[in-house]
Amino acid sequence: NKKAFVELLFWKSPAIVCEMTKGYSSLQEGEGTTRSRVPPWTPQEEQELRELYWKYKEVEGGDIIAAILAHLPTPGRTRRQVVKQLLRM
């Protein structure tokens, strides 16, 4: 493929480069970029997040996000995911 050189100049992640060099569709399920997908927030989780935010936003001198993370029913969420979801909501 004569245009592969141009594609190599603008790669986005190591997984894509690996796929280009080994052949497309060479990545197995759960490998590369598919592994980093964040599970979507359910409406119940959003409601819980909203309630926890309103509960802890008035606490002075405390870290609101740390308090929310400590009381979230879903243990797999990171601080960055919570902040991003709060901004989105």
Side-chain angles (χ1 to χ4, degrees), residues 7 16 56 77 79:
E7 195 171 353
I16 292 173
Y56 292 110
R77 298 291 181 185
R79 181 178 181 90

Side-chain angles (χ1 to χ4, degrees), residues 13-16 18-19 27-40 76 78 81:
S13 72
I16 292 173
C18 179
E19 188 176 15
L27 291 178
Q28 301 298 317
E29 186 68 30
E31 222 180 295
T33 57
T34 58
R35 180 177 38 178
S36 65
R37 293 193 120 188
V38 176
T78 64
Q81 290 171 347

Side-chain angles (χ1 to χ4, degrees), residues 17-53:
V17 172
C18 179
E19 188 176 15
M20 287 180 350
T21 56
K22 292 183 180 178
Y24 292 103
S25 302
S26 63
L27 291 178
Q28 301 298 317
E29 186 68 30
E31 222 180 295
T33 57
T34 58
R35 180 177 38 178
S36 65
R37 293 193 120 188
V38 176
W41 288 79
T42 64
Q44 294 83 13
E45 288 177 326
E46 287 181 357
Q47 181 64 30
E48 184 71 26
L49 183 62
R50 189 175 290 114
E51 290 171 5
L52 287 170
Y53 172 75

